[in-house]
Amino acid sequence: MQGATLPASVDDRAAERPSASRRLPAVIHVLALGTFLMGTTEFVVAGLLPEIADDLRVSVARAGLAITVFAVGMIIGAPLMSMLTLRLPARMTLMLALGVFAAGHVIAAVGDGFGLLLAARFLTALATGAFWAVANVVATRAAGPAASSRAVGVVGSGAMLANVVGVPLGAFAGQLMGWRGPFWILAVLAVAAMALIARRVPHEPRGGQTVSIRSELSALRSGRLWLVLAACAATSAGVLGTYTYIAPLLTDRAGIAAGLVPLVLVGFGAGALAGFLVGGRLGDVRPYATTIKAAASAAVVLAALGLLSGFAAPTVALVALLGLVGFLGTPVLIALGVRFAGRAPTLGSALTVSAFNLGTAAGSWIAGLALDSPFHTAGPAVIGAAMAAVALIPTLTLALVQGRRAQPAAG
């Protein structure tokens, strides 16, 4: 059945691929373990800020720079590290990234100054960007074209699971062991993940041919890649920009008790996990329709959240639904970024990681300004709906471009 907004040949062509129902290779689940660790470290600091601020003698607001620095490191690190490790085999790059990840956590755990903590967080973010970029490429190759989006969805679901399980457990461990305890745990788990990567990831050169920085940068000439990156940034800006300020919306506008906010956030995380997994499956069959419907659904849910946030029950349901639709298109966009980068799949993957983080940073800033609008705490959701709707421009354009490319082949 054809969607009214898509050229007939675009998603039908994708639907003719072999079935994606077969089991995914075990290596993909190992890679998901790595993204689980990295998703945990990105946000676990949020639950430890008071303890960090007190121990390192800085304000809580200043301690929050540990989160900002990590985001900046992800934006820079993913493409930078993909270029610096260009000639290394994928398995070596993944193990090196986990080693640097572990070292960064050890430095943070033993350090006694706030500046050293920020440096360790930046180093960890560089490693995270490198791991995620290469993991997406390894996953798509291991799964094959028929299941590439599903594979990326499973890898990314590790980070979503971190929001549901890893971050709360890390905050709990921090209360029992002090804020340095979770850093030690993550370092040990990263070393264990290195052993699994060494065992499960095939030993082969990345791409199987000689690569150069010039050939990698040639991917930047792909207009379709830039459309994917624009969709990544706009979607992330709308969804995660709103999520940054979801707590005041829940407490001040919906009237939900502060003690219940973590449970609502778990609902968002569970929805995001489901969105990654479902989106990956849908994307292998109808990739362009999935990205369009995901962007439209996110805009509608955010608008409803802004309008209905004065009522507790609908707000709780809409927050969970936002997690689902907000991440429905993410694995598909990452898989498309890898595909449209041509001879530079790792750079394409890295740029999608950067685009998502750049969108989060910009969206959070814009959403913060919206708090002073007449909508007050509902402002981030209202402006988030507009930003998510912007993602329809590149996703619709991409579908039309692919439709025109497919027509000569179909004829």
Side-chain angles (χ1 to χ4, degrees):
M1 184 172 64
Q2 296 297 328
T5 57
L6 288 179
S9 57
V10 176
D11 280 336
D12 276 357
R13 216 171 147 201
E16 291 173 1
R17 296 172 184 163
S19 172
S21 60
R22 64 183 178 86
R23 276 183 87 171
L24 294 173
V27 64
I28 292 172
H29 300 285
V30 174
L31 295 171
L33 172 61
T35 60
F36 172 80
L37 297 179
M38 293 175 182
T40 299
T41 200
E42 183 170 6
F43 294 109
V44 73
V45 171
L48 304 172
L49 286 182
E51 291 82 1
I52 293 173
D54 182 63
D55 185 38
L56 300 181
R57 298 179 295 279
V58 297
S59 67
V60 172
R62 185 168 174 77
L65 288 174
I67 299 174
T68 304
V69 163
F70 194 95
V72 173
M74 283 283 286
I75 294 170
I76 297 172
L80 175 63
M81 297 307 293
S82 73
M83 301 302 288
L84 292 179
T85 60
L86 188 60
R87 297 182 183 276
L88 292 179
R91 183 173 70 170
M92 179 64 70
T93 301
L94 292 169
M95 293 176 64
L96 180 62
L98 283 167
V100 174
F101 180 91
H105 283 78
V106 170
I107 293 170
V110 302
D112 59 359
F114 185 64
L116 187 59
L117 174 64
L118 293 183
R121 288 285 290 173
F122 186 77
L123 179 66
T124 303
L126 293 179
T128 297
F131 183 93
W132 213 317
V134 177
N136 286 330
V137 177
V138 171
T140 56
R141 286 178 177 164
S148 60
S149 291
R150 183 157 65 105
V152 170
V154 171
V155 171
S157 71
M160 299 302 102
L161 185 62
N163 287 317
V164 181
V165 178
V167 172
L169 285 179
F172 181 67
Q175 293 174 359
L176 294 179
M177 308 166 60
W179 70 267
R180 299 173 192 270
F183 285 82
W184 283 113
I185 293 172
L186 286 166
V188 171
L189 291 176
V191 173
M194 286 178 67
L196 289 174
I197 291 291
R199 183 174 180 178
R200 290 293 184 178
V201 176
H203 180 44
E204 59 182 1
R206 190 185 301 172
Q209 59 181 358
T210 302
V211 291
S212 67
I213 292 179
R214 177 176 294 181
S215 66
E216 289 282 301
L217 293 177
S218 67
L220 299 179
R221 295 198 295 267
S222 170
R224 291 179 296 170
L225 175 61
W226 285 105
L227 288 172
V228 168
L229 298 180
C232 292
T235 302
S236 179
V239 175
L240 293 179
T242 300
Y243 182 71
T244 301
Y245 298 99
I246 202 69
L249 181 142
L250 294 173
T251 56
D252 299 347
R253 191 170 179 88
I256 296 171
L260 297 178
V261 169
L263 294 178
V264 181
L265 300 186
V266 168
F268 177 88
L273 174 61
F276 248 93
L277 295 174
V278 173
R281 285 185 173 272
L282 293 176
D284 284 322
V285 180
R286 295 179 63 86
Y288 306 105
T290 300
T291 58
I292 292 169
K293 292 175 181 177
S297 299
V300 170
V301 171
L302 284 165
L305 185 61
L307 291 172
L308 301 176
S309 55
F311 305 94
T315 297
V316 171
L318 285 168
V319 168
L321 187 59
L322 179 62
L324 173 65
V325 301
F327 290 91
L328 199 64
T330 301
V332 191
L333 290 171
I334 294 173
L336 290 176
V338 171
R339 184 194 307 175
F340 295 145
R343 293 181 299 171
T346 305
L347 180 60
S349 172
L351 289 172
T352 61
V353 172
S354 292
F356 279 119
N357 282 275
L358 181 61
T360 300
S364 298
W365 176 68
I366 296 171
L369 297 178
L371 289 172
D372 295 326
S373 72
F375 295 102
H376 303 296
T377 52
V382 174
I383 196 69
M387 289 189 286
V390 169
L392 286 170
I393 299 174
T395 52
L396 284 167
T397 303
L398 187 58
L400 292 172
V401 169
Q402 286 300 107
R404 284 196 292 267
R405 283 172 169 262
Q407 283 171 2

